[in-house]
Amino acid sequence: MEQPEHTLRTAVDRWHAAVNARVPARVEATVSDPVVVRGPRGAGPISPAEFADWAVRSGIALVPRSWHPVSDRLMVVEEDATWPGSKEPVRVATVFRSTGDRVSAALRLPDLGSALELASICREMAATE
């Protein structure tokens, strides 16, 4: 039987590979329906097709730098982000939640500390459901 952390890491790694490849069908296959997202323009649930459209349209590339498991379904990944025309990568961090083998939330924050804090709050909220 696969360990929960391994399943989570596999889902997050597949997500990064698909987003960086910017192939819509591949991106859609890595997320749940809906997927909850957070970025500079806000947060909320969107469809896999909307998420794939964002990945392709934005041209973002996210290179994972460090992985921080928070629970069996939550992980924070510190990443170097670049966009078309970027001169230098920007260090960001994303809180990932998995549902099975898919990413069900990708909440991008400006730094590792704020991402770890949000993930901790999410973990505590889930524990009291």
Side-chain angles (χ1 to χ4, degrees), residues 14-82:
R14 282 182 56 234
W15 182 95
H16 279 99
V19 167
N20 290 337
R22 292 188 281 287
V23 176
R26 191 171 163 197
V27 174
E28 287 184 44
T30 67
V31 297
S32 63
D33 188 7
V35 58
V36 179
V37 297
R38 180 189 186 283
R41 294 191 177 144
I46 61 174
S47 72
E50 290 170 314
F51 181 75
D53 179 62
W54 165 82
V56 171
R57 192 174 19 86
S58 72
I60 196 169
L62 293 159
V63 178
R65 295 298 179 197
S66 64
W67 294 259
H68 306 269
V70 176
S71 72
D72 60 348
R73 292 186 60 210
L74 292 172
M75 178 181 294
V76 173
V77 179
E78 193 173 31
E79 303 145 322
D80 284 340
T82 56

Side-chain angles (χ1 to χ4, degrees), residues 76 78 93 109-120:
V76 173
E78 193 173 31
L109 288 110
D111 58 73
L112 181 60
S114 57
L116 289 169
E117 181 179 5
L118 177 58
S120 176

